[in-house]
């Protein structure tokens, strides 16, 4: 199943820093990551079908943060297609912030469901991108936190049920699912995870290219 992008379609990308990709520093507001690559490749392939591309990703955001800004940032734009990538901060918040705590999967899923319900009611087509974590081996710094193998093991145990929640919501709402965690696991087995992400969370250019290519396979 794919989504047909017709002339004049409006596509909204939203989520956290992976989608944000410094969008406020870019001339077109799309940032420098996979949303820009998607838009550029689509325009190259389909000059006869212009699409409006929007990006409202914000670094550090969790599902609850998206909820707080959902009406003005997403619903009020009345997009035809909404693509969501969120969850890595719901996984690691308790590690990265002094005010953070472990977010239960049930709370994550319930909040995500509240994001999707009004879009489904409006007939908006949905693409859900799994949150992902690549199995890099280096210790990296994130603020005051040091992320090593033990932290990633803890994160993985927390992330897996949240990924399953996203898959369940995709089925519930008839959304297209981009299985990014599985994709990066397969790619990492071929090249090593550092080829796609330096910290296991944020893609480098090759990782953004992989996300964009997978996203474009969901539309026609």
């Amino acid at each position: 199943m794919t989504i047909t992008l017709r002339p004049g379609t409006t596509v909204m990308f939203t989520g956290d820093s992976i989608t944000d990709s410094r969008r406020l520093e870019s001339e077109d507001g799309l940032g420098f990551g996979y949303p820009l690559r998607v838009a550029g490749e689509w325009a190259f392939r389909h000059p006869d079908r212009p699409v409006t591309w929007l990006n409202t990703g914000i670094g550090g955001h969790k599902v609850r943060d998206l909820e707080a800004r959902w009406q003005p940032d997403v619903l009020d734009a009345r997009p035809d297609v909404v693509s969501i990538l969120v969850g890595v901060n719901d996984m690691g918040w308790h590690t990265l912030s002094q005010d953070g705590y472990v977010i239960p999967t049930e709370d994550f899923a319930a909040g995500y469901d509240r994001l999707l319900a009004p879009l489904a009611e409006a007939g908006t087509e949905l693409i859900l991108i799994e949150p992902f974590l690549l199995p890099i081996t280096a210790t990296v710094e994130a603020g005051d936190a040091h992320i090593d193998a033990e932290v990633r093991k803890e994160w993985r145990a927390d992330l897996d049920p949240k990924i399953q929640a996203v898959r369940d919501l995709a089925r519930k709402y008839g959304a297209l699912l981009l299985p990014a965690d599985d994709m990066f696991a397969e790619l990492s087995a071929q090249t090593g995870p550092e080829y796609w992400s330096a910290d296991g969370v944020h893609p480098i250019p090759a990782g953004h290219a992989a996300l964009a290519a997978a996203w474009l396979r969901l539309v026609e």
Side-chain angles (χ1 to χ4, degrees):
M1 186 172 67
T2 57
I3 292 172
T4 300
L5 301 184
R6 297 179 173 83
T9 294
T10 295
V11 177
M12 168 77 73
F13 295 99
T14 195
D16 53 35
S17 59
I18 301 168
T19 301
D20 182 344
S21 295
R22 297 170 26 234
R23 62 184 175 87
L24 296 181
E25 300 174 29
S26 61
E27 292 185 5
D28 53 17
L30 288 177
F32 302 96
Y34 75 92
L36 177 64
R37 291 174 178 270
V38 166
E41 185 65 24
W42 179 267
F44 175 71
R45 295 181 191 179
H46 304 285
D48 58 326
R49 283 193 277 162
V51 169
T52 297
W53 305 94
L54 304 174
N55 183 350
T56 59
I58 297 181
H61 273 204
K62 304 172 288 299
V63 162
R64 68 184 227 173
D65 301 308
L66 266 63
E67 280 196 86
R69 61 185 179 88
W70 204 239
Q71 186 68 47
D73 278 8
V74 177
L75 300 181
D76 287 352
R78 299 183 182 274
D80 303 293
V81 181
V82 172
S83 173
I84 306 171
L85 171 53
V86 68
V88 70
N89 296 301
D90 295 82
M91 167 197 74
W93 189 36
H94 63 290
T95 308
L96 300 174
S97 172
Q98 292 183 346
D99 299 326
Y101 53 83
V102 174
I103 297 175
T105 298
E106 293 77 11
D107 293 351
F108 170 82
Y112 209 135
D113 196 318
R114 289 191 294 271
L115 298 177
L116 299 178
L119 294 170
E121 185 176 349
T124 308
E125 298 195 85
L126 301 169
I127 296 176
L128 308 188
I129 305 176
E130 290 178 353
F132 50 85
L133 179 65
L134 282 73
I136 70 165
T137 56
T139 297
V140 298
E141 293 185 6
D144 295 329
H146 295 272
I147 312 305
D148 58 16
E150 285 302 310
V151 172
R152 287 193 198 91
K153 183 178 179 181
E154 174 193 336
W155 280 5
R156 171 53 67 181
D158 185 75
L159 184 63
D160 283 344
K162 291 181 169 71
I163 291 173
Q164 186 59 52
V166 174
R167 294 171 180 171
D168 292 343
L169 287 167
R171 282 192 293 271
K172 175 179 178 178
Y173 286 100
L176 296 187
L177 178 73
L178 197 166
D181 192 62
D182 283 349
M183 177 187 76
F184 279 122
E186 293 175 8
L187 291 173
S188 295
Q190 299 169 22
T191 63
E194 293 82 3
Y195 189 84
W196 311 101
S197 172
D199 63 5
V201 170
H202 299 92
I204 57 178
H208 278 289
L211 278 175
W215 198 98
L216 284 162
R217 287 193 289 271
L218 300 177
V219 299
E220 62 178 7

